[in-house]
Amino acid sequence: MSGGAGLPGEGRVGGTAGLPGTVTVHDDPAGVAAAAADWLLDVAGAAISRDRRSGDGRFRIALAGGSTPRALYALLATEPRRERTDWGAWEVFFGDERACPASDPSSNYRMARDALLDHVPIGPERVHRMEAERADLDAAAAEYGTVLAKTCPPDLPGSAPRLDCVLLGLGENGHTASLFPGDPALEVTDRWAVRSRADYAPYDRITLTFPVLDAAREVAFLVTGAAKGDALRGVIQGTVPAAGVRPSDGALHWFLDGAAAAAI
Ligand code: 6PG
């Protein structure tokens, strides 16, 4: 699908006009993955250059879970894109994690490892896994928030840790990360990661909170398939959790395929 100037496929198509931020629409999930991969490499390069001016040149990213981002991660892990970034500068976090062992097929960390992290030279000390297999999820979440605060300097003292990029998916009920409708985690403003509860197994989760999502420099949703139409409408109407993602002074992007865009 063609759009306006800028990113390939950029432009408002039908009902996407109500989505906040920039929207690009692509022919299919493979097109979404390719566009998001190229966009992410540019974001990483800019972040590394910016951070070299005041620090050691890191790119701090929170990866999305679920199934949609797998194709994006696989593209990053293979040529020609694999050689287009300094993997040693990447510092990897997660938007959320399911309460299961890291080796479990349901684990978002496992998915990212299989598709990306096992195939690129990011040091293990730069991959920060949410330890959602622990019995005390509150403690695990609090410790994760402390790691975030130590490694992602906030804009203002005491404010939310600032990531360079957050990747997000969108559930059919409008959840994102593991911020589910009606969950108390939606109201948290003074912690960076908390336990939450999903409406599908694995039910118990750890999730980043809105303050961290909104502090990020770049936030991108990857949404494919007609089944996400109701959720996208919920974002436009402000009736679902994903509508709460509003970067304070960062940029928000939607990478949609035609089926998702047409379903709005
Ligand atoms: C999770 C994800 C979740 C996901 C959406 C979309 O742990 O379930 O973080 O927020 O992004 O449910 O999932 P799909 O990409 O599989 O549609």
Side-chain angles (χ1 to χ4, degrees), residues 63-70 95-98 106-108 111 167-173 175-180 198 200-202 205-207 222-224 228:
L63 298 181
S67 58
T68 302
R70 185 191 295 270
D96 69 320
E97 186 55 278
R98 291 92 177 270
S106 295
S107 163
N108 288 332
M111 184 273 282
L167 298 178
L168 293 170
L170 180 67
E172 292 184 19
N173 65 359
H175 77 264
T176 192
S178 280
L179 295 164
F180 283 82
Y200 57 89
R205 307 285 182 97
I206 292 176
T207 187
L222 280 65
V223 185
T224 63
K228 302 296 176 77

Side-chain angles (χ1 to χ4, degrees), residues 17-209:
L19 288 172
T22 64
V23 179
T24 57
V25 181
H26 308 276
D27 291 344
D28 51 28
V32 166
D38 292 337
W39 169 83
L40 184 57
L41 289 170
D42 290 345
V43 168
I48 293 165
S49 300
R50 179 179 55 244
D51 195 52
R52 280 199 180 115
R53 293 196 289 271
S54 60
D56 56 358
R58 295 190 193 195
F59 171 52
R60 301 172 173 89
I61 181 173
L63 298 181
S67 58
T68 302
R70 185 191 295 270
L72 159 61
Y73 300 159
L75 285 178
L76 293 171
T78 50
E79 300 309 343
R81 292 181 177 88
R82 187 179 187 278
E83 62 190 11
R84 276 187 47 198
T85 192
D86 174 4
W87 294 107
W90 285 50
E91 187 136 29
V92 174
F93 302 85
F94 291 83
D96 69 320
E97 186 55 278
R98 291 92 177 270
C100 63
S103 59
D104 191 295
S106 295
S107 163
N108 288 332
Y109 167 77
R110 162 81 186 269
M111 184 273 282
R113 264 198 65 176
D114 289 348
L116 175 62
L117 301 176
D118 279 354
H119 308 287
V120 294
I122 299 176
E125 74 286 355
R126 290 284 182 89
V127 177
H128 305 282
R129 184 177 69 83
M130 290 178 165
E131 296 177 348
E133 73 281 5
R134 287 168 51 181
D136 187 344
L137 285 180
D138 293 309
E143 289 168 27
Y144 200 81
T146 301
V147 169
L148 267 173
K150 284 181 180 172
T151 53
C152 302
D155 250 1
L156 299 170
S159 63
R162 190 165 206 199
L163 289 154
D164 295 305
C165 184
V166 173
L167 298 178
L168 293 170
L170 180 67
E172 292 184 19
N173 65 359
H175 77 264
T176 192
S178 280
L179 295 164
F180 283 82
D183 193 286
L186 300 177
E187 308 306 324
V188 173
T189 58
D190 59 352
R191 285 168 287 156
W192 316 137
V194 293
R195 77 178 298 158
S196 67
R197 184 117 175 122
D199 51 16
Y200 57 89
Y203 294 98
D204 290 319
R205 307 285 182 97
I206 292 176
T207 187
L208 296 185
T209 56

Side-chain angles (χ1 to χ4, degrees), residues 18-21 168-171 173-177 179-181 186 210 213-214 219 221 223 230-248 252 254:
L19 288 172
L168 293 170
L170 180 67
N173 65 359
H175 77 264
T176 192
L179 295 164
F180 283 82
L186 300 177
F210 282 123
L213 306 184
D214 291 346
V219 179
F221 280 91
V223 185
D230 286 346
L232 286 167
R233 271 190 294 278
V235 173
I236 292 167
Q237 295 156 8
T239 56
V240 297
V245 178
R246 291 300 178 102
S248 313
L252 179 58
W254 296 83

